[in-house]
Structure formats: C-alpha cells, structure tokens
Amino acid sequence: MRRRRFLTISCTTLGGVLVYSLDRKVSLLSANEKNKDKSLRIPLRFFDEGEALLAAAAASRIFPSDVSGPGAKEAGVVIYIDRQLAGPYGSDRYRYTQGPFEDAPAEFGYQGKATPREIYREGLKGLTGFDQLNAEEQDATLERIEASVFFSLLRQHTIEGMFCDPMHGGNADMVGWQLIGYPGPRLNNYDEIEKYYGQAFRPKPAGLREVSGHSVGASEDEK
Amino acid sequence: MKTLRKADVVIVGGGWTGLLMAKELGARTALSVVVLERGVPRSTDKYADDMDELDYAIRLRMMQDAAQETVTLRHDARGRAVPLRRYASFLPGSGVGGAGEHWNGQCPRNLPDFFELYSRTKEKYGVNRLPEDHAVQDWGITYDELEPYYTRTERLLGLSGKAGNLRGQKVEGGNPFEGWRSEEYPTPPTKLPYFSALFRDGAKSLGYHPYPVPAATLSQAYTNPDGISRPPCVYCGYCERFGCMIGAKAQPTSVLLPVIEKKKNVTIRKGAWVRRLVHDAAGSESRVRGVTYVDATGNEIFQPAEIVFLASWTLNNTRLLLLSGIGEPYNPGAGKGTLGRNLTHQVSFAAATAFFAKPLNRFMGSGASGMLLSDFDGDNFDHSQLSFLRGGLLEARNTGAHPIGEFGEVPHRVGSRWGSTWKKAGIEYFDRVGRIVVSGEHLAYKGNYMDLDPTYKDRCGDALLRLTLNWRENERRMAELLTEKTVEIARAMGATEVNTFPGLRNYDSRRYQSTHVQGGTILGTSPESSVVNTYGQHWQAANLFVLGGSLFPTGGGANPTPTILAMTYRTADAVAERYVKRPGPLA
Ligand SMILES: Cc1cc2nc3c(=O)[nH]c(=O)nc-3n(C[C@H](O)[C@H](O)[C@H](O)COP(=O)(O)OP(=O)(O)OC[C@H]3O[C@@H](n4cnc5c(N)ncnc54)[C@H](O)[C@@H]3O)c2cc1C
Ligand code: SF4
C-alpha cells in the first residue's frame, strides 16, 4: 500500500480571510486568533503534496481570494479535486472509453484516451515551480495553457470545488454559497417564491446532509 | 440461454410510455404483463437525498451510463462517426420511470397543423417552399383525433395551466394559438418566478401573448382519475435532472407505479437489458416471438410473449429493431428502407441571456414554472416573406438555478473566463441573469437518420446506434429571426445587458439542448414511407408495437411528452378494446 500523503496548510493561509457576503455586501472578518499558529494536515487520496500545492496555486488564480471575497483557497478546492480524481470520475468509470480514439472537431466532445487522472498528472508536470511564481507570472503561465484540455478541466473543477455541496470536500463552510447568496438545497420555497419580487431573499445556507438529517453518499466515495 | 414461461405481453423499457402501457393493460385486461427495464428500481420517497447538483446535474447519476452504451455521431453521410463519450446534448434516462423521473414537466400540446405539416405547407406556400432535401410527411392522424387523448393525459398528470381555446372559444390569459381543447386544465397555473413575471410584462408591452407554462409540477393538491393524490409543488428547484421527493411533479413513480404495484398481472423486472427481439423469418408477415435480455448477473434469458411493446425511448426503439433485423434499414443514398429515417432534435437554444439590475432569487422555481409565448411558433406568424418555414416557443422559466452550472455567466464585455475580473462579475451577476430559451421545430431531412455504427460497440458487444445529424439553413434562419425577437423582449423586460445567441452552426454535441430526439420508427399511412401505423403497430409484425417519440415524423417546438403519452393512450385503447379480441393489423 502506498504511504499516506498529506497536504499541510497553515491556518493563517486557510482562514486568513473569512468572508461573509449577503447579496454583494462583503465583509472581511479577521482570522480566528486562537488558531493562527496551528496547521491542518489533510490526507490526500490522489495527489502527492507537491502536486496538491501546484493544483491549489493554479485554482487560486482561476478563482482568486481578493477584495471581492474568498476564493479557491478558502473553499478547499484542491481537496475537492483530489477526491474527484481518486474516485470514479477520475478513472473515467462512467465515460465511454472503447477505441478507436479518433480526432474530431470540438463539437463532438472530448475524444481523448487520457483519463482526468492522467490529464492532471501530465498537466501538473508542466507547472513545476508554479507555486513559487508571483501572481503576474502565474497568470502568464496559465494564459499559455488556456486552450489545453488540462486547463479546461482545472477551470471546471475549480468552479465545482467552489460551489459543490460541502459533502464533496469543496465549498468549505459554504464560503462559495455565501459569496453568491445561494442557500443550498431548500425543502420548501412555497411562501417565498412570489413574495420577494425584485428583492434579495437570502436564507442561511445549509448543506444536504444538514437538510436531510442524515449522511448522503457522495459519488467520489463509491467503491 | 434460459427460456422463461411465456407472458401475454412484454414491454421493453419501464419509463413514461412503458409504464403507462403497463398500467392500462394491467387495469383493463387480464393479460399477464412483464416490463423489462435495464436500470435500477426507483421510488419517489427516496428522492430527498438527490438534491445534490454535483452528483445529479453534473455527473448525471440518474441517466444512462455512457460507459455501457452510447451513440456515435457524424454531421453527414460522408463523415466518420465518433462516439459521444459522455452524454451532453440530450440525456437518455435509465431506471424505473426512465427520463420521466428527472424531466421538467413542461407540457404544451403540439399545434394542430404540426400533424399535417406537409399538406398544410403545400396548401399555403406551395411544395417548393419545403427545403430541397426535406423528408417531411403528414402523421396520418390529426389533432382532432388526438384531442381526447391529450385531455386524458392532462388529467393523468394533473397539469397546471390556463386554457386559451376552449372548444373554439378564445380565453383571455391562455395561449390564443393553441388547438381547441375540450376542457380547462385540471389545476390552475403554478406560482411564477420573478424572472418569468418580468417576461410576461415585457412581452405584453410589445403586444405578444405570453401564457403560463402547462406544468406537471402541481400548483395545488390533485387527485387523478386513478385515485392517485399528489401534493402541490413547493418550488424547491430540484426538478430538472432530479426526481421530486414529494411527487408533486408527475413522474412515473408518482402517478403510474402506485397503480401498477396493486395489479397482480403486472411484473416489473429490473436490471433486464434487452438485446434482441426474436421473430419468425423476415418478410411481410413476420411475427415477434419474444425478446432476449441479459439480467443483472449477466445471464442470457429468453422471454417469450404474445405481444411485444418497444418502449425504450427514441434511440433504443430504433436500435433494437435494427439489431434484430426487423424492417428494412433506411438508406438515403439508395432512397430505400424506412427504419432509422427522419431523425430530428428539437432546435433548442438560449436566444437571449439577459442581465438585470435587481436580484431574481433564481434558486426558487420548478421545472415548469414560468411563461411561454407562441407568437413565433409553427405558422402562427406569416412566412410568405421569410426565408424559412415554421418557428418555435419562447420560454422564460426559472427551474431552480444551481451554482456550479450557473456561476460565471457574465456579460460578453467582461471578456475573461477566469481570474479576478471574471470572478467579481460572476458574483455580481449570479442572481441577476436569466435565459429566454427558444424551442423550435426541426424539419425532417433525407440526410438526418440513424443506422448501426460499423465500428463501436456497447458493453455487450452490440453495435452502437449511429446518428447522422446536422442543421440546415431552415433552422439557422429561423434561429436568427427568433433570436432577434427574443432580444427585443429581453430589453422590454428591463435587461441592462443581453448576450445574444451566436447562431446555429454545426450540431454541437457538447451543449445540452433538450432530450427531445425523435424519429427512426416513424408512423404513417403506408409501409413504403413509415415503419409503423398510427397505432405504433409494426407494418411487418402485427404483434409488435412501438411507443414514444421514435414515431414522430418531424420534430416539434412543443415538448413531446404530452403527445407521446396521448398516442400511448390511443394505442392502449386499440389494443385493449380491439386487438385482444381479434389480433391482427389495426389499420
Ligand atoms: C432533463 C430532462 C428534462 C426533460 N423535460 C421534459 C419536459 O419538460 N417536457 C417534456 O415533454 N419532456 C421532457 N423530457 C423528455 C421526457 O423525459 C421523455 O420524452 C419521456 O420520458 C419519454 O418517454 P419514454 O418512455 O419514451 O422514454 P423513458 O421515459 O426515458 O423510458 C425509456 C426506458 O427504457 C429503458 N431502456 C432503454 N433501453 C433498454 C433496453 N435495451 N432494455 C431494457 N430497458 C431499456 C430505459 O432505461 C428507460 O427507463 C425531459 C427529459 C430530460 C432528460
Ligand atoms: S420544484 Fe416542485 S415539483 Fe420540482 S422537485 Fe421541487 S417540489 Fe417537486
């Protein structure tokens, strides 16, 4: 069995900005003083630590943490991606993978043989040293690969990790949902749907496990 | 291969059509009915756990697994087809209830002239106005004949809506262009999301005739003629691509399964993947003897039957006949055969993506809550000076916006697709954007069809279905004009900015359009130009019936399921009342 791998994140980076936004009103709260010197060790399922740091750095440029609120870093996007790649999605369990593999125009969808896992492994090799660059250099590097399959996956997965139900490992503390005023799954909007015409109705977000009151199986945990 | 005891009836596919037929025959006859469904069991009360966008709307947990079976696609007969390695432009269902479990429930009827497209067009504009390579033909059944069956379908589902034409009388607030209906909708219209209310007001200010979407998501509690009671919809926004946990949405497990489960003569066998229909030698008097399938543990099984219904949705209805060698495959080059012809896919696109200053609370809504407009549908506007025929419905719904799929839709001027500027705009507009969608008619063409792929196989080693499909000038021009009209409405709604549809180019398999794919086993009045008669009965095998959208000779602007169910009722009547007593051709 392969040695367990961890991503170590210090709470100063992870919890450095806590942002709560209701309908475009952004307030920045300071990090929890108590936790500031602690670090988190998060077990990785697919990446090694070096890969995780590269993927996290790239996701942070796609969805940056900045004046408009928290980003990929706070939401834990890299944790989300790691789990997806380790699960059935990463190995293409549900994609048609019989050959022959032919090139076809873009309208026919991705026709490659490589699985998401393989695309990331290869793609991250090309980003060696990326996490050491400054923001402008990082953006320039990403612009160069913008047309690649790897980048389009990275962009898509960053959005998924920002806004998925927290049970998938992203959208930590529902920072993504709070940022855009999305309440998560709600069981009933009967009285509200016609009541708030033109005004923001922003109920407090809750994830599916909280709403349903029990544990719900996530696809990445399928055996 | 194991042979089972003969059943009176075998139904291939346990979705909307298969289960409706099972319910009707189960309740009205003493026939033993076996439904073979390749997917898993489902029940309405399990759906509370499915409110997860990632696993259901993005990873498509309820749909057919493409790794097991997909289709191949090419744009024209000269091209080499490649597999759709993931489903995207349409989403075939799997499991008890089929796509009916995770549908939206938008339920307009088709326009009367849609059923007589060829003769009405010829009469009004002359045949020369039909595109050169068209394959348009009349249905052989008219709206008037179908009307009672539409009404029965609407009662079954409890549709919420407002009539616009009651027995010829125009009614304010409904769709003035609709065909006559014999009665008002069973329940009043649903509540209206803000975006749809803006559309209603904007469209009215321009003199158009918006009306509430006929919805299978109930506006109020309703008990249907089978005694099935359902509660009102609560606008949770988890209809499209999800099952409804309270059964407020009419779905096969909420309106059909409870009736079927009480019938001792009906069995639903899950995990039964049908591979072939077994029939006596081909020719004009062929007879189907049953079907073979692989069960969940991989055993090959022969299920003999007196009557076989194919209810495996458009694509597999066509593919199973091709694989079984029943009927002559369509060959456009030689102009021979009928099986596989007239493939259409509703012309569906977001004509205007409109941005607003005020928030829309888009997370609230149902799969079918909203407004429609038929002023540009069918031949409701004059085409004599236009360079195309027909049109489509404009739809302003709010089906419940989910953040992964919806984040990042920003005005074109923003320019970027990632980084700080895009993120900021994405946050700003997440709840300030709505799409007005066009659902247009797709004419049938000689060159759009289905056959078996020579290269790619499914998990059992059977040839995949090959789609040869592309848009023509008629659709492109129609899309252009309808986009223009839609953008005018978006402006009248008070949109501050509008992203307009860039136009139809080649058929794009990456963009979800609709799961309204039709044709392949088309109905008609003669075996020379159709596969089945208007009852869905196969011309060459009187004990074989085909149900569903594969019967449509042309693609409609209206969502197809009400028409599909109405035709299934008509077949059920003919089988229960006539065929059972005197087996043989019904037409
Ligand atoms: C996301 C979505 C939204 C939709 N919204 C609307 C809407 O708003 N309005 C509307 O009118 N329509 C809508 N539709 C379309 C609607 O769901 C279909 O028209 C309808 O379900 C068709 O009924 P059917 O019985 O032909 O197919 P289905 O209901 O899909 O049933 C077919 C069944 O056959 C089974 N099957 C297939 N092959 C085999 C085999 N080889 N062996 C055994 N079983 C097999 C499948 O597993 C499936 O369960 C929507 C569809 C989707 C996917
Ligand atoms: S929106 Fe209504 S019909 Fe749709 S799933 Fe929710 S409660 Fe059911």
Side-chain angles (χ1 to χ4, degrees):
Chain A
M1 217 184 88
R2 112 187 139 91
R3 228 183 66 225
R4 292 204 74 176
R5 292 188 284 219
F6 293 90
L7 176 64
T8 309
I9 304 175
S10 82
C11 285
T12 21
T13 38
L14 187 70
V17 270
L18 275 180
V19 175
Y20 201 77
S21 148
L22 283 177
D23 190 39
R24 285 200 291 187
K25 284 188 208 76
V26 181
S27 35
L28 296 165
L29 307 177
S30 57
N32 186 338
E33 274 303 308
K34 240 182 20 231
N35 288 335
K36 94 177 182 316
D37 300 323
K38 287 209 191 115
S39 59
L40 280 176
R41 265 162 60 81
I42 300 166
L44 292 168
R45 297 184 187 178
F46 171 74
F47 290 136
D48 63 30
E49 183 161 23
E51 288 172 325
L53 290 171
L54 291 177
S60 282
R61 293 316 302 159
I62 291 171
F63 210 105
S65 313
D66 56 18
V67 287
S68 62
K73 200 162 61 175
E74 292 76 22
V77 163
V78 67
I79 314 292
Y80 165 81
I81 298 178
D82 178 64
R83 291 189 191 175
Q84 286 295 314
L85 293 177
Y89 167 79
S91 63
D92 265 345
R93 187 184 297 166
Y94 300 118
R95 188 169 78 98
Y96 183 78
T97 49
Q98 292 190 34
F101 290 88
E102 307 274 353
D103 285 338
E107 301 101 80
F108 292 84
Y110 173 60
Q111 289 294 329
K113 193 171 183 181
T115 63
R117 286 182 194 167
E118 291 162 351
I119 294 167
Y120 267 84
R121 279 262 125 91
E122 251 335 278
L124 289 172
K125 276 188 204 148
L127 288 185
T128 310
F130 182 87
D131 51 333
Q132 308 302 319
L133 304 176
N134 66 35
E136 287 76 49
E137 292 166 334
Q138 287 183 332
D139 286 354
T141 307
L142 293 182
E143 273 158 30
R144 280 199 294 276
I145 62 162
E146 229 177 330
S148 67
V149 175
F150 169 56
F151 182 82
S152 74
L153 286 191
L154 196 61
R155 177 182 179 275
Q156 171 63 22
H157 296 158
T158 300
I159 297 174
E160 288 171 9
M162 277 310 299
F163 300 113
C164 63
D165 192 283
M167 74 182 184
H168 295 290
N171 188 21
D173 286 334
M174 294 173 278
V175 286
W177 289 354
Q178 294 178 48
L179 193 61
I180 55 175
Y182 182 73
R186 264 172 63 83
L187 297 180
N188 197 330
N189 295 306
Y190 188 85
D191 292 330
E192 292 87 2
I193 180 165
E194 288 184 333
K195 187 165 153 194
Y196 290 91
Y197 278 12
Q199 307 159 43
F201 170 51
R202 298 289 178 258
K204 189 173 172 301
L208 182 56
R209 285 176 179 169
E210 199 180 323
V211 169
S212 71
H214 58 262
S215 177
V216 174
S219 60
E220 62 273 18
D221 299 331
E222 267 173 39
K223 285 287 157 282
Chain B
M1 189 177 320
K2 189 168 148 193
T3 299
L4 301 176
R5 226 182 55 216
K6 190 169 185 177
D8 294 326
V9 174
V10 157
I11 300 176
V12 180
W16 259 135
T17 57
L19 292 186
L20 179 58
M21 186 55 72
K23 174 185 88 76
E24 289 295 302
L25 297 182
R28 296 164 63 181
T29 72
L31 301 171
S32 61
V33 179
V34 175
V35 179
L36 299 173
E37 166 53 48
R38 68 180 165 189
V40 296
R42 290 237 168 78
S43 70
T44 291
D45 57 359
K46 300 266 162 56
Y47 286 142
D49 285 1
D50 77 359
M51 298 173 83
D52 176 35
E53 181 189 10
L54 185 79
D55 281 347
Y56 288 83
I58 310 279
R59 301 273 181 264
L60 306 176
R61 201 181 242 181
M62 294 183 82
M63 281 58 159
Q64 170 56 30
D65 170 8
Q68 312 259 321
E69 179 195 289
T70 184
V71 296
T72 69
L73 172 74
R74 56 183 183 171
H75 282 146
D76 58 62
R78 279 160 312 176
R80 169 113 150 236
V82 294
L84 301 185
R85 293 188 177 275
R86 288 181 202 288
Y87 286 112
S89 59
F90 54 84
L91 301 169
S94 177
V96 173
E101 293 299 288
H102 49 74
W103 74 323
N104 287 55
Q106 174 166 308
C107 288
R109 296 180 178 189
N110 279 117
L111 293 165
D113 67 354
F114 172 67
F115 299 94
E116 298 161 278
L117 195 50
Y118 180 79
S119 24
R120 297 287 189 98
T121 306
K122 185 174 153 200
E123 194 183 344
K124 187 154 174 198
Y125 300 110
V127 258
N128 291 342
R129 279 295 301 278
L130 281 160
E132 209 179 319
D133 61 336
H134 83 89
V136 173
Q137 58 189 46
D138 292 348
W139 286 48
I141 172 179
T142 62
Y143 176 86
D144 289 354
E145 287 170 82
L146 217 48
E147 203 287 331
Y149 299 102
Y150 268 132
T151 301
R152 250 157 88 186
T153 300
E154 290 167 357
R155 288 190 202 149
L156 174 81
L157 308 180
L159 290 193
S160 303
K162 176 86 194 116
N165 178 349
L166 272 178
R167 295 174 294 272
Q169 291 291 324
K170 293 278 150 89
V171 184
E172 183 67 30
N175 173 15
F177 301 99
E178 72 178 353
W180 67 278
R181 50 175 66 245
S182 46
E183 50 185 68
E184 182 49 277
Y185 283 96
T187 51
T190 69
K191 292 197 183 201
L192 208 56
Y194 181 48
F195 172 66
S196 312
L198 291 174
F199 175 85
R200 176 196 57 203
D201 300 343
K204 273 192 185 160
S205 76
L206 296 175
Y208 300 135
H209 305 84
Y211 59 95
V213 173
T217 58
L218 288 179
S219 60
Q220 61 184 42
Y222 174 74
T223 303
N224 78 6
D226 294 324
I228 299 294
S229 297
R230 288 149 53 214
C233 162
V234 294
Y235 307 93
C236 75
Y238 284 79
C239 274
E240 179 173 1
R241 305 189 180 196
F242 309 86
C244 174
M245 64 193 160
I246 55 172
K249 177 172 80 175
Q251 53 203 15
T253 61
S254 70
V255 300
L256 302 175
L257 204 56
V259 184
I260 291 172
E261 280 170 343
K262 292 206 187 86
K263 300 288 167 223
K264 292 211 172 58
N265 54 336
V266 185
T267 316
I268 303 178
R269 217 169 282 154
K270 295 99 185 169
W273 181 292
V274 174
R275 293 184 63 188
R276 296 287 186 282
L277 278 63
V278 180
H279 60 105
D280 295 334
S284 53
E285 289 297 299
S286 173
R287 210 187 141 69
V288 175
R289 290 196 290 114
V291 307
T292 59
Y293 67 92
V294 201
D295 73 8
T297 50
N299 296 317
E300 286 269 357
I301 295 179
F302 175 49
Q303 171 67 66
E306 268 309 313
I307 312 176
V308 172
F309 287 92
L310 257 185
S312 54
W313 194 59
T314 307
L315 302 180
N316 269 351
N317 282 354
T318 306
R319 177 166 172 257
L320 286 169
L321 290 185
L322 286 165
L323 285 171
S324 308
I326 301 177
E328 188 179 357
Y330 174 64
N331 180 335
K336 283 174 63 186
T338 52
L339 178 56
R341 62 175 289 188
N342 290 37
L343 168 63
T344 57
H345 190 182
Q346 188 183 58
V347 184
S348 194
F349 58 94
T353 302
F355 299 90
F356 297 89
K358 288 185 177 166
L360 302 168
N361 298 318
R362 293 201 303 152
F363 61 90
M364 299 187 279
S366 86
S369 54
M371 298 299 284
L372 295 180
L373 189 146
S374 290
D375 296 61
F376 300 102
D377 191 15
D379 201 34
N380 297 345
F381 55 117
D382 184 46
H383 288 72
S384 23
Q385 302 305 316
L386 297 172
S387 58
F388 62 89
L389 293 169
R390 311 303 287 176
L393 296 153
L394 270 53
E395 314 173 351
R397 281 179 303 169
N398 190 356
T399 57
H402 305 127
I404 298 172
E406 298 286 334
F407 184 88
E409 182 106 74
V410 296
H412 286 328
R413 73 171 153 80
V414 173
S416 54
R417 291 177 61 246
W418 55 278
S420 278
T421 313
W422 168 78
K423 172 196 168 193
K424 183 162 180 279
I427 297 169
E428 174 160 353
Y429 287 109
F430 174 72
D431 195 34
R432 289 178 166 72
V433 58
R435 278 186 292 271
I436 308 172
V437 170
V438 167
S439 288
E441 275 186 39
H442 188 198
L443 298 182
Y445 297 95
K446 293 191 180 107
N448 285 339
Y449 66 102
M450 305 176 235
D451 61 2
L452 292 176
D453 190 274
T455 310
Y456 294 96
K457 310 273 185 261
D458 73 2
R459 61 148 199 170
C460 299
D462 292 328
L464 296 185
L465 190 69
R466 174 170 67 181
L467 313 185
T468 303
L469 177 64
N470 209 355
W471 306 122
R472 304 284 193 275
E473 280 315 299
N474 193 72
E475 293 83 69
R476 296 194 179 107
R477 295 202 184 115
M478 173 178 96
E480 244 168 62
L481 183 85
L482 266 59
T483 299
E484 202 180 288
K485 299 291 178 194
T486 308
V487 171
E488 281 166 23
I489 298 176
R491 302 253 182 243
M493 290 164 72
T496 52
E497 288 174 84
V498 181
N499 289 348
T500 59
F501 182 64
L504 281 180
R505 295 183 185 103
N506 287 324
Y507 181 85
D508 189 339
S509 75
R510 296 165 301 176
R511 181 172 69 81
Y512 183 69
Q513 290 154 57
S514 73
T515 306
H516 307 155
V517 182
Q518 331 286 10
T521 74
I522 65 172
L523 55 65
T525 48
S526 104
E528 280 69 54
S529 56
S530 57
V531 176
V532 296
N533 65 26
T534 63
Y535 297 97
Q537 186 178 35
H538 201 282
W539 286 118
Q540 271 105 53
N543 69 335
L544 169 62
F545 293 84
V546 188
L547 307 173
S550 58
L551 270 56
F552 287 29
T554 48
N559 311 53
T561 311
T563 306
I564 287 173
L565 295 179
M567 302 215 306
T568 303
Y569 264 129
R570 184 169 173 270
T571 301
D573 277 7
V575 171
E577 289 159 17
R578 292 199 276 144
Y579 183 90
V580 172
K581 287 174 204 144
R582 273 187 76 224
L586 291 165

